[in-house]
Amino acid sequence: MKKLVVGITAPGSVILIAGQMKYFKSLGYETYLMAPMHERVVEYCQREGCIHLPVNLEREISPVKDAKALLQVIKHLKKSGPMLLILVRQK
């Protein structure tokens, strides 16, 4: 099965990708959302039928926390083995 991972940095960004996971599921993709653990993200994943891959992201620059987050991202990507990766960063 084709796999798609979408990554967002802020829980509020789920508004920007509303309907996209359902659409890709209808095309035969197994869908994953890599995002911070937050109620909005959990609800979005339930609504869209995607798998949540939690990543602890901090807004402030912190080399130690950033390195831990990078390791989480690498772990999730290795485990899911996506065919397609989309990263969204709100501005």
Side-chain angles (χ1 to χ4, degrees):
M1 176 175 271
K2 301 177 285 187
K3 296 179 181 182
L4 165 70
V5 173
V6 174
I8 60 174
T9 57
S13 295
V14 294
I15 295 168
L16 302 173
I17 59 171
Q20 290 185 21
M21 296 302 220
K22 278 185 184 178
Y23 173 73
F24 280 105
K25 277 187 77 101
S26 74
L27 295 178
Y29 283 87
E30 186 175 329
T31 57
Y32 299 86
L33 179 62
M34 191 167 21
M37 180 57 80
H38 191 275
E39 183 179 331
R40 280 184 176 178
V41 174
V42 172
E43 288 173 1
Y44 175 84
C45 288
Q46 290 172 347
R47 216 174 30 254
E48 299 276 328
C50 61
I51 298 166
H52 181 211
L53 303 174
V55 177
N56 296 324
L57 299 170
E58 297 288 329
R59 189 164 179 87
E60 298 300 320
I61 296 173
S62 169
V64 173
K65 290 179 181 178
D66 292 346
K68 287 180 182 180
L70 178 61
L71 291 175
Q72 288 177 326
V73 168
I74 292 169
K75 178 183 169 189
H76 286 315
L77 292 177
K78 279 186 174 183
K79 188 174 181 179
S80 62
M83 177 182 195
L84 184 59
L85 175 65
I86 300 171
L87 300 174
V88 179
R89 185 174 153 240
Q90 72 181 31
K91 224 16 179 154

